[in-house]
Amino acid sequence: MNKKVQKGVITVVLSSMILTNTAFAASEVINKSETVYVLKKDNDIKDKTVSVWLNSEEDIKGKDKSNLKNVKNLKTDEKVENKNGYIYWDENVKDIYYQGKSEENIPIDVKIDYYLDGEKMENSELKGKSGHLKLVISTENNKYLIKNIGGKKTKVYAPYTVIAALSFPQEVASNIESDDAKIAKDGKNEIVTSVLTPGLRENFESILEDRQMEEFKSEAVVEMDVKDYDPVEAYVVISNELFQNEADLETIDKLRDGVRELEDNSKKLVDASTKLSD
């Protein structure tokens, strides 16, 4: 991976969120799972790669709706052709892994703005600088429907959770503070993690009080003092998995508990993301 591009924001989007794809077969059901990897530098998208896993109890034979470009099979050297928006499979295997490039917009936009001593700067411009650094991690939900609620047209947002994690060397960053994130020391580093739910507060604002929506936020602010700063990577996972199990979401309290649990376990994202980066 190009190190200059790598020093940006890496967004890993889980689940079938960009593409509304379904695999069809003559007899058996073919399950489809997509993971979308988005690489950003200074808030500009540099790459969108989609990894797809097809699996079935029988050999996979059928057509797979896809708008991916430059598709390649990840387990063989076999060329994969996308014909008029479909990939046709006639394989004697129960699992297929392939990858391609996406031109679709992602449902959640994640942006990180940096302010050194009050002056807005790009992450790449901060190298070697010292002072008081403020990071603003903001998210925007672009996936919604317009519904008529109480005689008023209202945006109803699709529910997603955004887990953001950054790791700062202690010799570079100190006095890290945030009301919107958890901060933990891990050896020589300080780990900052935050769980955001863009659009969720807007969905509930007419039926819940502010105190009931404290966990539902779309922005996190982190401040610290830095010395000879070296730009770090931010790892972000966007998922709708929390909202898939209806049994776990019978009450608002259970939803809030789920967000808290995600935040408590988000440190694992740093470890996994570091391995992915390597």
Side-chain angles (χ1 to χ4, degrees), residues 192-203:
V192 177
T193 58
S194 182
V195 176
L196 304 175
T197 55
L200 212 55
R201 176 178 283 269
E202 288 82 352
N203 285 350

Side-chain angles (χ1 to χ4, degrees), residues 190-220:
E190 293 208 41
I191 313 299
V192 177
T193 58
S194 182
V195 176
L196 304 175
T197 55
L200 212 55
R201 176 178 283 269
E202 288 82 352
N203 285 350
F204 290 137
E205 64 182 355
S206 62
I207 57 175
L208 297 179
E209 299 177 5
D210 286 343
R211 62 179 179 81
Q212 295 175 290
M213 298 190 292
E214 292 176 351
E215 284 77 22
F216 307 150
K217 49 185 180 282
S218 60
E219 182 179 281

Side-chain angles (χ1 to χ4, degrees), residues 17-30:
M17 297 191 296
I18 286 185
L19 310 174
T20 313
N21 292 344
T22 308
F24 301 91
S27 56
E28 297 296 328
V29 172
I30 300 176

